[in-house]
Each structure stands twice: as structure tokens, then as C-alpha cells.
Amino acid sequence: MAGEDSGVESDKFDWNTEDELEIENFQSSSCLIVPNGEAITGSGGACSSAGPSNSKVFDHFVGMGFPREMVSKVIQEYGEENEDKLLEELLTYSVLDSSPQPQQQVEPEPGSSEYAGSSLDDFSDIDTSDDDEEFTNSVSENNTVRYLVKMGYKADEALVAIERLGPNASLEELVDFIGVAQIAKAEDALLPPEDKPLYGDHAKPKKRRFYDYEVLGRKRPRECEKRIINEDDEEAVHLPKVMIGFGVPSESSFITHRKLPEDAIGPPYFYYENVALAPKGVWQTISRFLYDVEPEFVDSKYFCAAARKRGYIHNLPIENRFPLLPLPPRTIHDAFPLTRKWWPSWDTRTKLNCLQTVIGSAKLTERIRKAVEQYDGDPPESVQKFVLEQCRKWNLVWVGRNKVAPLEPDEVETLLGFPRNHTRGGGISRTDRYKSLGNSFQVDTVAYHLSVLKDMYPNGINLLSLFSGIGGAEVALHRLGIPLKNVVSVEKSEVNRNIVRSWWEQTSQKGNLVDLDDVQQLNGERLKQLMDTFGGFDLIVGGSPCNNLAGSNRVSRDGLEGKESSLFFDYCRILDLVKCMTAKCS
């Protein structure tokens, strides 16, 4: 979002990132290269240029199997700053090189086979169910194997990955799978079986030891200790195909009872959220650190007109939940009725994909208009396919004859359940609005889970909100009619803190709002002071950064060991301190 029609500016990392990294390489300077050589700026920035390099980046891609001349050409054209972008362009060039070349230098139309073969981007949070089931990956299994071999992987590795993940797995998922398999194989070869560390009582994982002794600075109290089980005995947390958790209002199937581990029973209650599509083992670890509570995976498409696949771990009751009223629109046309007039019959979407922090550029929408308007009736299937790929990727909607456009910030607010103009004004830029909204909770989903608290706290609730963002939990509780007596909001972004403060004042909240800027600075002494002042906390809510968890982050997808996503352990640290202090006072 470098301009009015672009995505967001690229920061080193987002403290409250949710889903923007689930899109493959949707950075502000990203470009889509089509076979005619024209660059479509994905989010507004221009591609940087740099001369050929023999740097580590150059060696890295040559080592992956790409030709040296091709790597040099791409680096010269786009620079070395964005490795994801370089990989995307190298894959694009590889596809073009393997395709038959025309004898004449004629710019291919969007309907040509060259044009249709240029898009290799993929979502890790794309919704392909219901009306989108007919949309399948355009790359066949044989072509996928060829691409992976060109990248330097062995054919048998590619075939095993496809067999394990399925024929519809994205290229990114296959690369991740093969990479993990290679690392595991290398470790097994280097480490004798008898020397492998076990996760038992006498040999805790490295992160756990760091958490216990470096973060807490002491041996953990016995009553707050969590069970560390042997990694080999762990049962994998499998994502359900239909993500309805313990139930959603639109479905008749509900789970109303579950047995919580004794250490997890509240109060105080806790509610933790993160992206569902995390690397293997992440949700097992999150569950283990949060008292072995079973995750609840929910897709917000069951609550609104946009998908948002999330995992939630909490110790709230799950019976007698109720949704916010009025129920939000659950289809695109219900949410935006004016689009019906212009919506082509061949665009079968009824829901949007996950709302991101970046949007499609004006140049992209112009190209789509030109591609469609040259035909009197419906465009050819190949043009339709290209347009639908871009519309799904960027959540474009039809706003006129042959005209698509990205969602406006206020439209995103509506889809996410926030009040209109929640992020508008007060010096907040359009760029920051998209960024803040893309990182937020879906309010209707969260409110459904928190609704059980209304009868429990009729006189108001004390909330500790970690990684608050733009106040999704606060808005949910307010819309449920639960008075906010005292709220301690911890949020790194000054923009987001200002949004929450503005909302607090505009809704005439009668309680106290304390905003802090760093969870790592919230230590035991400060917590005790706050708990003594407010009489403790009833609910601890948080969703730590997913920068190192999201599927498209090939550079630093380090899981919970990553620099940003490791802040999850601060959520655990603070929750443990609150529970222990509460237990001592009771």
C-alpha cells in the first residue's frame, strides 16, 4: 500500500501479524511477470534493480538447480532483497522456458497458453470448499514433478511429497515437505539413535529450559508445572477438513462437553489464537504449553463472508454459546449487494478468501478490465481462469462492467465484525488501516466463543489483552454486552494502541484502560501491581505473531523458535504468573 491503490509498506516484521504471510510473496514490491514480459505490480511498489551478483543469494538459487544465467538475470532485474520474489520469478521463467515458443515475437493475449501458465502463486489459507471445489491447481502432477526437479530436488522426493500431501498440494507446501524430510534425514544420519535427546522429566527441550530458567529466572512452581511428554509418543494434531471447532451457529452438530486437564481449569480463563496452517508440530507444542488443552480449529467463513482459518486454545465452557445479533452476511452478495449487478455468471465465488494486509494494485485491475472487455460475450475459459485466480488471490469484487476492485478498508471492517470507521481518521493512513485490519481477530467468531462469559460476569470483567491489535477481544466483549471494568491492553504498534484508545472513548466505556507497549516488559512485579490494583484478571486473551509460522515464509519459517513467533512463550509466561498469583490469593 505504497499509494491509494496499493498494498502495505514492507516492515521488517509485524508484531501482530496474522495472515499476510499466508499469501505467497505478497510484499509491497512484488511483481507478477506474465509471458509477454510485462510486470504487474502486486501491491504498488516498483521492482528494484541490481546488477548480477555472486553473493550468497546467487549461490543459494544456483544450488537449488536453477541455471546461473537465469539467476543472474532475475537478480539483475529485481535485486536481492526479496528472496521469495526471486524464487517466484525463477519458477516463472522455468515454466516459460519449458513451453513451446512462438516463431514471431507477438505479445500473448491473456487467453493464450503462455499467459495461463504464468501464475504460480498459491494461498495457504485459500478456501476451496463449496462453490470453489471446481477450482483446481492448473499444474498437473507430472508438471509439478518437473518443476521440483528443475529446482534441484530428486524426482523420488517429489513423488513422495505429492503422494503424502495429495495432488492438489501447492508447490510451496511440497517444497516445505521435502525440505523438512531432508533435514530430518540429515539429522538421523549424523546422530546415533542412542544419542537422540528425549523430552522427558530429566531432559527438557531447549526452548523449555530457556523458558523455565532464563525467562522466569527460577525453577517453576510445582503447581504450575506442565507435563512434557516424549516427542515420539505425541499424537499429531490434524487439521479437520471442516473447521467448525466444537460447533458453529450455522451447523447442527455440536460438542457441548469436554474434560479439561486439572491445571487448565479456570478461573482465570484464557483464550489464545493463531493461524491454523502452522508447521508440523507447532500446535502440539502450543497445546503442551497451554496445559494440554485441545485446540479448537474454526474457519470464520461460517460466521461471515470471508474465510479465516484459525486455531484457538482456551479453557472456556463450550455449552450455551450464542452468536452476536444481527447475524452478519455470509455471502459476498449479501455483504455487498451492489456487486450483484456486475457479477459475471462464470465467477462462481460466494465467499472471499482470508482478508490480508495487502491489496491488488490499480495496474492489475486495469489489466483484468482490458482482458475481459475485448470480448462481446463471456471471455474464453483461459481468460476466465486467469481472472478468477487474481480475484481469489486479491479478494477482488466486481464494481462495474468488466471492472474489479479491491475491498475498501470500511468494507474489510464490516467483514471482520468491527464498527464502521473503527480504523479511520486520527492520522491513521490507508496503509495502516489495511495492515491493522489484516492482523485482527474476526469479531463474530471470537464473540461466539466468549459469549459464555456474559452470565458469569454480569457486573463486568477484568481483561488482560496481550498482543491486542485493534482490540478485537475488547470489541467482541462490548458487543456481547459484557461491561469492561478494567482492561490492560499490551500492544507494540502505536497505531493500534491509538485505535483502541479512540474506540474506548467513542463508545463511552466507564471502566479503566491501561495500555502498555511490550509484553516482554510485563514482568511479575508489574503484574502484581496491576492485579493488586484491579483485583486480578478474569480473562487473559492473546494471539502472538505468526511471522515464523505462516506457510509462505520460506526465509525464516522457524516455527515457535523464530524471533517473532517465540513471543508465544511470553504469553505462556504471563498466563502462568497470573494463574500462580491468583492461586496464592485464593
Side-chain angles (χ1 to χ4, degrees):
M1 274 181 269
E4 287 296 300
D5 56 1
S6 65
V8 300
E9 300 168 355
S10 295
D11 293 329
K12 188 172 183 181
F13 71 84
D14 291 337
W15 280 91
N16 301 293
T17 185
E18 294 281 358
D19 270 287
E20 71 275 28
L21 295 177
E22 291 185 17
I23 290 187
E24 179 176 339
N25 189 36
F26 291 170
Q27 300 294 334
S28 61
S29 60
S30 64
C31 300
L32 173 64
I33 303 298
V34 295
N36 63 3
E38 181 178 351
I40 299 176
T41 306
S43 50
C47 290
S48 61
S49 61
S53 172
N54 289 321
S55 65
K56 292 182 179 179
V57 176
F58 179 86
D59 294 338
H60 170 68
F61 287 114
V62 171
M64 291 175 66
F66 292 107
R68 300 176 66 88
E69 296 78 8
M70 184 184 294
V71 176
S72 179
K73 178 181 178 181
V74 171
I75 290 178
Q76 183 175 7
E77 186 171 358
Y78 298 103
E80 298 182 345
E81 291 78 13
N82 192 333
E83 292 189 19
D84 282 351
K85 178 62 192 169
L86 294 177
L87 179 58
E88 176 188 339
E89 299 306 326
L90 287 168
L91 289 171
T92 301
Y93 282 130
S94 297
V95 175
L96 298 180
D97 285 349
S98 64
S99 303
Q101 298 297 321
Q103 294 181 354
Q104 297 181 353
Q105 296 296 324
V106 179
E107 178 179 341
E109 297 181 358
S112 68
S113 60
E114 284 185 276
Y115 196 95
S118 66
S119 177
L120 294 176
D121 294 279
D122 183 47
F123 275 19
S124 62
D125 198 10
I126 193 167
D127 181 35
T128 57
S129 61
D130 302 328
D131 59 296
D132 288 338
E133 286 182 350
E134 296 180 1
F135 178 70
T136 58
N137 197 320
S138 61
V139 182
S140 67
E141 180 174 324
N142 290 337
N143 285 338
T144 303
V145 173
R146 185 169 70 251
Y147 298 154
L148 291 168
V149 171
K150 281 179 175 291
M151 293 171 63
Y153 298 110
K154 297 179 181 179
D156 57 345
E157 293 176 326
L159 290 171
V160 170
I162 293 173
E163 181 181 357
R164 290 290 299 276
L165 300 182
N168 294 325
S170 68
L171 196 63
E172 173 194 347
E173 292 172 327
L174 295 171
V175 169
D176 283 345
F177 179 89
I178 296 173
V180 171
Q182 290 177 340
I183 293 173
K185 184 176 180 180
E187 289 179 347
D188 288 343
L190 295 174
L191 189 62
E194 61 271 20
D195 292 338
K196 291 182 180 180
L198 296 178
Y199 289 0
D201 292 335
H202 303 289
K204 294 184 179 180
K206 180 179 179 181
K207 173 60 70 175
R208 188 67 187 189
R209 291 199 303 268
F210 173 83
Y211 172 69
D212 284 349
Y213 304 124
E214 299 297 330
V215 177
L216 293 181
R218 56 181 173 78
K219 185 177 180 180
R220 293 175 50 77
R222 188 177 186 86
E223 61 269 21
C224 294
E225 193 73 53
K226 299 184 183 69
R227 181 173 57 93
I228 305 300
I229 59 179
N230 190 308
E231 188 179 44
D232 296 333
D233 294 335
E234 284 187 319
E235 294 184 2
V237 175
H238 298 288
L239 296 181
K241 184 176 182 180
V242 179
M243 291 191 181
I244 61 172
F246 300 128
V248 295
S250 59
E251 300 292 323
S252 59
S253 174
F254 289 91
I255 299 174
T256 57
H257 297 283
R258 61 170 175 166
K259 184 176 181 180
L260 289 171
E262 184 177 352
D263 288 344
I265 296 174
Y269 294 101
F270 65 87
Y271 186 84
Y272 177 81
E273 177 262 13
N274 216 314
V275 294
L277 304 175
K280 181 179 179 181
V282 165
W283 277 105
Q284 290 97 305
T285 302
I286 293 175
S287 174
R288 186 168 68 243
F289 276 84
L290 292 178
Y291 312 99
D292 294 317
V293 176
E294 176 188 357
E296 179 176 12
F297 294 105
V298 180
D299 190 338
S300 291
K301 73 177 183 178
Y302 297 102
F303 290 86
C304 68
R308 204 171 188 82
K309 297 180 175 69
R310 292 292 182 271
Y312 304 90
I313 291 185
H314 59 84
N315 63 344
L316 297 166
I318 60 175
E319 65 272 12
N320 300 322
R321 290 171 165 179
F322 60 89
L324 287 174
L325 296 176
L327 295 175
R330 292 183 53 216
T331 67
I332 298 173
H333 291 159
D334 289 340
F336 310 116
L338 297 180
T339 63
R340 290 178 184 268
K341 179 179 180 180
W342 310 109
W343 208 272
S345 59
W346 46 269
D347 186 343
T348 58
R349 291 177 297 154
T350 61
K351 291 184 180 292
L352 297 165
N353 278 308
C354 189
L355 301 169
Q356 310 292 335
T357 62
V358 287
I359 62 172
S361 68
K363 188 172 183 180
L364 173 62
T365 59
E366 179 187 18
R367 187 172 186 85
I368 291 175
R369 176 181 60 80
K370 290 180 178 179
V372 176
E373 69 181 4
Q374 60 182 304
Y375 303 98
D376 292 334
D378 291 346
E381 183 178 346
S382 53
V383 175
Q384 295 179 21
K385 186 174 184 179
F386 162 74
V387 172
L388 286 175
E389 285 177 349
Q390 301 306 313
C391 287
R392 285 186 172 94
K393 179 189 300 183
W394 299 105
N395 279 326
L396 303 177
V397 295
W398 298 90
V399 296
R401 181 176 175 81
N402 301 327
K403 289 172 57 179
V404 295
L407 298 170
E408 292 296 318
D410 59 330
E411 294 173 325
V412 179
E413 288 172 341
T414 299
L415 289 168
L416 291 173
F418 289 94
R420 193 177 182 88
N421 297 324
H422 183 70
T423 60
R424 187 180 183 184
I428 300 170
S429 69
R430 182 179 168 92
T431 292
D432 285 334
R433 292 185 71 188
Y434 281 114
K435 182 176 179 179
S436 296
L437 287 164
N439 289 330
S440 71
F441 286 164
Q442 204 289 322
V443 172
D444 299 274
T445 309
V446 173
Y448 183 66
H449 296 159
L450 300 182
S451 62
V452 297
L453 297 172
K454 184 170 185 178
D455 291 338
M456 298 168 63
Y457 297 97
N459 298 321
I461 195 169
N462 287 345
L463 173 67
L464 176 56
S465 179
L466 305 176
F467 315 101
S468 298
I470 56 175
E474 291 87 329
V475 172
L477 291 167
H478 174 69
R479 290 189 59 191
L480 286 167
I482 302 175
L484 297 170
K485 291 197 301 184
N486 300 288
V487 174
V488 176
S489 172
V490 189
E491 167 56 39
K492 188 70 173 178
S493 166
E494 182 179 3
V495 168
N496 291 344
R497 293 200 304 273
N498 290 338
I499 291 172
V500 173
R501 175 64 66 177
S502 176
W503 170 82
W504 186 271
E505 294 171 352
Q506 291 177 20
T507 52
S508 302
Q509 298 292 328
K510 295 180 172 54
N512 301 302
L513 173 63
V514 177
D515 46 38
L516 307 175
D517 66 354
D518 192 350
V519 294
Q520 294 182 306
Q521 299 301 316
L522 186 55
N523 55 25
E525 182 180 355
R526 181 68 169 129
L527 267 175
K528 186 177 187 306
Q529 178 186 359
L530 291 168
M531 292 178 68
D532 288 344
T533 301
F534 300 137
F537 293 109
D538 305 308
L539 174 65
I540 300 93
V541 172
S544 55
C546 72
N547 300 55
N548 309 113
L549 306 183
S552 63
N553 186 357
R554 299 193 191 114
V555 177
S556 58
R557 197 183 185 197
D558 303 322
L560 296 174
E561 300 287 336
K563 180 179 179 182
E564 290 82 46
S565 294
S566 63
L567 290 173
F568 160 73
F569 296 101
D570 281 287
Y571 178 88
C572 297
R573 172 182 63 83
I574 293 169
L575 175 60
D576 277 348
L577 287 173
V578 171
K579 286 179 68 68
C580 291
M581 291 179 185
T582 302
K584 290 180 180 178
C585 294
S586 60

